[in-house]
Amino acid sequence: MDSRELTVVAGSFVGFQLLFSVVSPRLSFAVSPGYAQLPSPKHTEWNSRLVSTVHALIVGFFCLYILWFDDAVNANPVWGDPNLVKLNVAITCGYLLYDLVLLACNWSTMGDGFFVCHHFAALYAYGYVLTRGVLPYFANFRLISELSTPFVNQRWFYEALKYPRSHRMVVLNGLAMAVVFFLVRIAVMPSYWASVFATFGTVEFERLGVGAQVAWITSCIALDILNTIWMYKITRGAYKVLMGTGGSKRKGAAECPDKKDHVNNHTD
């Protein structure tokens, strides 16, 4: 795919998300009557998280398809045929652009400088994939983490609707979030880093150049440090629920890494 096609993909997904954000209130009213009782800022974040969930499911399952069936990417993780990965990354870049617009338009209630920096850094990193076609396997592998996002968002939905921390659905979602988060962010680390180390010293690695090498390795290290910290917090929250000691606390059933975690799971 050339740059023009990728731009169309990213732009189309921005348009899709803007359209879906208009439709999502009607969908939310139909699915959850409690949505109508929420204040306006909660409506905005609710709609944002609904869009985030749709994006996460599309990108996450696309990642699995590429890992299972794209032989070219798996055979050469540094320079393999990146077309499908570029498509997936372009979708994610479209989401990041959409979310930046949403944050800017609702800065007083949703604005967070950390996420703005996070988004721009992610767009810069994925620029290497889109413009040079490098590291397709690793870019795709990182996006698997999106599969934990729907559970994080669902936890926020329950909290917004004031479900009791001891409610069975809240507890089950919290435990599912802990398990899926571990599987797609922590359990995959040994395999991922084994693949990274296997490229060191190869001709393919040297062809990347210092800029791409540094951006790749440093971002991965930072991300896995954050994932480890978040996994600790989630595990601690889940333990409190299982032991029956977390019901009255704010973070309750399964502790979320951040109350605005609608964007932290899609730029790995």
Side-chain angles (χ1 to χ4, degrees), residues 90-155:
I91 290 173
T92 293
C93 288
Y95 173 78
L96 294 174
L97 292 171
Y98 157 82
D99 205 57
L100 283 171
V101 172
L102 187 70
L103 289 172
C105 293
N106 299 276
W107 189 259
S108 61
T109 56
M110 296 176 62
D112 191 316
F114 170 80
F115 289 123
V116 172
C117 294
H118 175 271
H119 282 14
F120 278 116
L123 289 168
Y124 172 74
Y126 282 136
Y128 280 102
V129 181
L130 296 178
T131 60
R132 294 183 57 191
V134 299
L135 304 168
Y137 173 85
F138 298 104
N140 183 70
F141 199 104
R142 281 300 187 180
L143 283 173
I144 295 174
S145 64
E146 279 299 320
L147 292 173
S148 64
T149 299
F151 299 98
V152 174
N153 287 337
Q154 187 59 45
R155 179 195 178 280

Side-chain angles (χ1 to χ4, degrees), residues 11-218:
S12 297
F13 201 70
V14 171
F16 162 75
Q17 290 168 118
L18 291 173
L19 176 62
F20 190 79
S21 66
V22 173
V23 175
S24 61
R26 293 181 178 273
L27 179 63
S28 298
F29 275 122
V31 174
S32 177
Y35 175 85
Q37 308 303 319
L38 298 176
S40 180
K42 289 282 188 179
H43 283 169
T44 301
E45 185 159 3
W46 180 296
N47 299 336
S48 170
R49 287 179 181 272
L50 200 56
V51 173
S52 170
T53 295
V54 172
H55 162 262
L57 292 173
I58 293 173
V59 170
F61 285 111
F62 199 4
C63 283
L64 294 179
Y65 173 83
I66 293 171
L67 278 178
W68 289 334
F69 299 109
D70 195 326
D71 295 334
V73 168
N74 295 322
N76 188 341
V78 181
W79 293 95
D81 181 8
N83 279 339
L84 288 181
V85 176
K86 280 185 174 182
L87 177 60
N88 213 19
V89 169
I91 290 173
T92 293
C93 288
Y95 173 78
L96 294 174
L97 292 171
Y98 157 82
D99 205 57
L100 283 171
V101 172
L102 187 70
L103 289 172
C105 293
N106 299 276
W107 189 259
S108 61
T109 56
M110 296 176 62
D112 191 316
F114 170 80
F115 289 123
V116 172
C117 294
H118 175 271
H119 282 14
F120 278 116
L123 289 168
Y124 172 74
Y126 282 136
Y128 280 102
V129 181
L130 296 178
T131 60
R132 294 183 57 191
V134 299
L135 304 168
Y137 173 85
F138 298 104
N140 183 70
F141 199 104
R142 281 300 187 180
L143 283 173
I144 295 174
S145 64
E146 279 299 320
L147 292 173
S148 64
T149 299
F151 299 98
V152 174
N153 287 337
Q154 187 59 45
R155 179 195 178 280
W156 186 91
F157 293 145
Y158 284 139
E159 182 175 295
L161 294 173
K162 301 187 185 304
Y163 273 59
R165 303 301 188 193
S166 58
H167 192 283
R168 185 177 68 172
M169 296 303 297
V170 176
V171 173
L172 289 177
N173 179 74
L175 294 177
M177 183 180 76
V179 171
V180 174
F181 192 98
F182 173 79
L183 291 176
V184 300
R185 291 175 177 265
I186 305 300
V188 298
M189 284 185 189
S191 174
Y192 179 84
W193 284 104
S195 298
V196 172
F197 293 140
T199 68
F200 289 178
T202 64
V203 175
E204 288 83 1
F205 182 80
E206 297 302 325
R207 284 177 59 199
L208 286 174
V210 175
Q213 292 168 358
V214 171
W216 173 30
I217 302 302
T218 55

